[in-house]
Amino acid sequence: MDKLEVFGAKKLKGSVRISGSKNAALPILAASILSNKKIILKNLPNVKDIQTMIKLLESIGSTIKYSKKNNLIIIQNKNKLKTFASYNLVKTMRAGILVLGPMLARYGKAKVSTPGGCTIGVRPIDLHLKALAQLGINYKIIDGYVHAYSKKKLKGAKIRFPKKSVGATENLIIASSMATGTTILSNCCIEPEIKDLVNFINCIGGKIKWIGKRTLKIKGVNNFNKNEYTIMPDRIEAGTYLIAAAVTEGNLKIIGINPNIIKTEIDILRKLGAKIKIINEQINIKGTNNIKNINIKTAPYPGFPTDMQGQLMVLLCKSKKRSVISEEIFENRFMHVAELNRMGAKIKTKGNKAFIEGNTNFKAAELMATDLRASVSLILAALSAKGKTTINRIYHLDRGYEQIEKKLRKLGANIRRVS
Ligand code: EPZ
């Protein structure tokens, strides 16, 4: 199994270009099921989760031309697609559940594996299923599969999500864009990736409109047009490099990211002492050795993202004073804490709160990565630690960060993969 070796305590310098967003690309790929016309997607990140979603689309009969090198995919669903998504594909990439909505909208039936839990939490899909039921589907869960069908075409409805869910919002946007009549979705998540999905569906002929901050009006259509679309940049990757600069007291130019979509993260980093300058789609950041402390909660967008919680925690370890992070989205997203403590951090957790003492000079150690964002947090800590840190079980990292070692090496990091 691959591992990473990091020889740290080097200030990162230079410029890094942000790749396409994994979490925008996944629902957009799922939405391609709606159409039989040619779809061209550009700026697709070359990461494992995207490859898994492409395998899933191929397994149901999509005709795909994929150029990893050019971050480009051409999809055309010439024949009738299968309506089955296997456990083998969904278990490694939970976003596989996003094919449920489009399969039901187009074919009125679907058998899709339930994704099951993962290291960060139980991650149920009840909100997806209950909302789809309001569009007229029936479902049963048998032996780990959702068996769903609808006798008639899905029918538009007024649906209010009882709780904010990124995935449920996405599944419902995709399904209702091919339902008869009009659907009103309220209490939607408004992550930039969801806006990207809406823009994509409209670009191929959908009729979706934001009619309130968290409310969408979706007029179902029967057919979509051929078109091409460019996936938005990855805001979590951008945020991760911002913290890499801050934690190594480096000086980085983050290129190709709309700063407005990471305003919360930028404001917090400024509060913590980083010097940040914005020039159009470029963010220049200079770290400091005088990091301030903060008490912060993760929250749905525009709040501070749970996907940046581990990375921020690494930076707060370097603050002069104590900080507190409350993880409000997932029930078990502190898997990085034990490993950071092995590197000399002083972090205690109680329930969903982490108390971070600060004043930590990370020490190199041998570590074990657990999930995608925990893995990258360990790299950030290793980058600021003197000596050689080895991070084992890094396959999670490849699920969501494009060419991370190459990008970090270009910035002066001493990092290598050992197979
Ligand atoms: C998306 O996951 C992202 N994944 C996650 O990114 C991200 O952490 C998460 O949103 C929150 O921002 C993709 O976009 C592919 P949710 P998702 O539904 O859609 C509960 C990463 O590192 N819930 O918004 O699965 C759920 O348990 C990943 O890139 C229900 O109770 O997240 C959680 O507590 C990890 N019932 C909360 O809602 C449901 O039916 C938010 O989950 C669905 C969710």
Side-chain angles (χ1 to χ4, degrees):
M1 219 179 268
D2 286 7
K3 54 187 175 182
L4 280 181
E5 290 179 349
V6 184
F7 299 82
K10 289 202 165 60
K11 295 186 180 195
L12 299 189
K13 275 198 190 113
S15 57
V16 58
R17 180 165 288 280
I18 297 308
S19 297
S21 159
K22 161 181 89 78
N23 288 350
L26 288 169
I28 288 177
L29 284 168
S32 73
I33 292 174
L34 293 173
S35 174
N36 59 359
K37 306 274 168 38
K38 192 193 262 184
I39 292 169
I40 301 176
L41 298 176
K42 295 179 173 170
N43 204 29
L44 197 69
N46 178 11
V47 295
K48 196 87 197 2
D49 273 8
I50 296 299
Q51 287 154 19
T52 310
M53 184 59 104
I54 292 171
K55 265 193 207 151
L56 201 168
L57 294 179
E58 281 173 335
S59 78
I60 62 170
S62 290
T63 307
I64 283 177
K65 282 189 202 143
Y66 175 37
S67 165
K68 284 183 188 170
K69 210 176 102 220
N70 297 314
N71 299 93
L72 178 105
I73 194 169
I74 304 172
I75 307 173
Q76 184 151 26
N77 299 321
K78 288 189 184 136
N79 306 316
K80 188 167 183 256
L81 299 176
K82 290 181 204 145
T83 50
F84 172 70
S86 77
Y87 173 67
N88 273 344
L89 292 167
V90 180
K91 74 167 186 214
T92 54
M93 191 246 344
R94 305 176 40 82
I97 193 65
L98 296 175
V99 302
L100 184 63
M103 282 176 176
L104 287 165
R106 192 156 171 210
Y107 299 108
K109 60 176 186 161
K111 179 180 170 187
V112 175
S113 172
T114 55
C118 72
T119 48
I120 64 174
V122 186
R123 306 190 73 179
I125 52 163
D126 56 319
L127 297 169
H128 301 236
L129 296 174
K130 282 179 193 150
L132 285 169
Q134 293 184 64
L135 295 180
I137 70 143
N138 293 296
Y139 66 88
K140 274 188 189 149
I141 297 176
I142 308 168
D143 299 336
Y145 278 85
V146 180
H147 295 247
Y149 69 94
S150 149
K151 283 196 188 129
K152 292 191 219 134
K153 215 168 158 15
L154 302 191
K155 193 165 179 300
K158 261 193 171 175
I159 301 169
R160 183 178 171 81
F161 294 105
K163 177 180 170 180
K164 291 186 192 75
S165 158
V166 171
T169 304
E170 291 167 344
N171 234 334
L172 267 288
I173 290 173
I174 302 172
S176 6
S177 60
M178 214 181 182
T180 55
T182 301
T183 298
I184 306 285
L185 299 177
S186 56
N187 200 25
C188 291
C189 274
I190 52 168
E191 271 63 4
E193 293 75 19
I194 289 176
K195 299 210 163 152
D196 213 40
L197 172 66
V198 167
N199 292 343
F200 163 72
I201 296 178
N202 283 341
C203 157
I204 58 165
K207 294 213 161 95
I208 313 179
K209 236 181 164 172
W210 290 96
I211 56 167
K213 188 178 169 203
R214 292 190 178 273
T215 308
L216 281 167
K217 182 173 177 182
I218 304 171
K219 279 194 186 158
V221 299
N222 285 322
N223 290 300
F224 293 88
N225 314 321
K226 77 171 198 192
N227 215 338
E228 62 176 58
Y229 189 78
T230 302
I231 308 281
M232 65 174 273
D234 195 312
R235 67 188 165 106
I236 306 297
E237 188 196 23
T240 302
Y241 283 102
L242 283 173
I243 295 205
V247 100
T248 63
E249 294 166 43
N251 190 346
L252 293 187
K253 290 183 172 58
I254 321 272
I255 300 171
I257 178 79
N258 171 0
N260 295 329
I261 64 172
I262 49 170
K263 190 177 176 308
T264 303
E265 293 88 318
I266 290 174
D267 288 349
I268 285 166
L269 284 169
R270 278 184 170 142
K271 258 190 208 154
L272 294 179
K275 296 273 171 293
I276 295 180
K277 217 166 139 188
I278 292 168
I279 309 156
N280 302 322
E281 302 242 309
Q282 178 178 319
I283 306 170
N284 297 353
I285 173 163
K286 241 187 197 173
T288 160
N289 62 3
N290 188 14
I291 308 281
K292 308 249 174 12
N293 64 327
I294 197 168
N295 291 350
I296 190 168
K297 286 181 176 171
T298 60
Y301 193 84
F304 187 80
T306 172
D307 290 348
M308 285 294 301
Q309 179 255 105
Q311 299 91 309
L312 181 70
M313 191 179 294
V314 172
L315 182 61
L316 294 178
C317 286
K318 309 210 82 168
S319 160
K320 302 281 178 245
K321 289 192 191 149
R322 186 190 214 225
S323 300
V324 184
I325 299 184
S326 305
E327 171 54 57
E328 303 285 331
I329 309 292
F330 291 110
E331 57 278 23
N332 194 25
R333 214 176 194 181
F334 285 144
M335 302 290 282
H336 42 282
V337 168
E339 300 300 286
L340 293 177
N341 282 343
R342 293 187 56 244
M343 297 180 80
K346 293 171 280 296
I347 309 166
K348 282 196 182 121
T349 59
K350 194 169 179 214
N352 72 336
K353 287 192 169 46
F355 303 88
I356 304 136
E357 283 311 322
N359 284 309
T360 299
N361 281 320
F362 285 112
K363 294 188 201 80
E366 177 139 11
L367 307 170
M368 189 67 83
T370 44
D371 79 305
L372 172 58
R373 309 302 172 188
S375 308
V376 89
S377 306
L378 300 185
I379 295 184
L380 294 176
L383 287 172
S384 91
K386 266 199 190 126
K388 173 176 143 186
T389 296
T390 305
I391 307 172
N392 293 291
R393 220 203 269 153
I394 51 155
Y395 58 85
H396 292 286
L397 200 66
D398 298 329
R399 291 184 35 220
Y401 284 91
E402 189 171 53
Q403 298 200 328
I404 187 162
E405 304 116 80
K406 202 170 160 197
K407 287 187 180 185
L408 284 171
R409 267 200 301 270
K410 200 181 142 227
L411 303 175
N414 189 345
I415 178 169
R416 67 169 185 219
R417 183 178 291 243
V418 184
S419 294

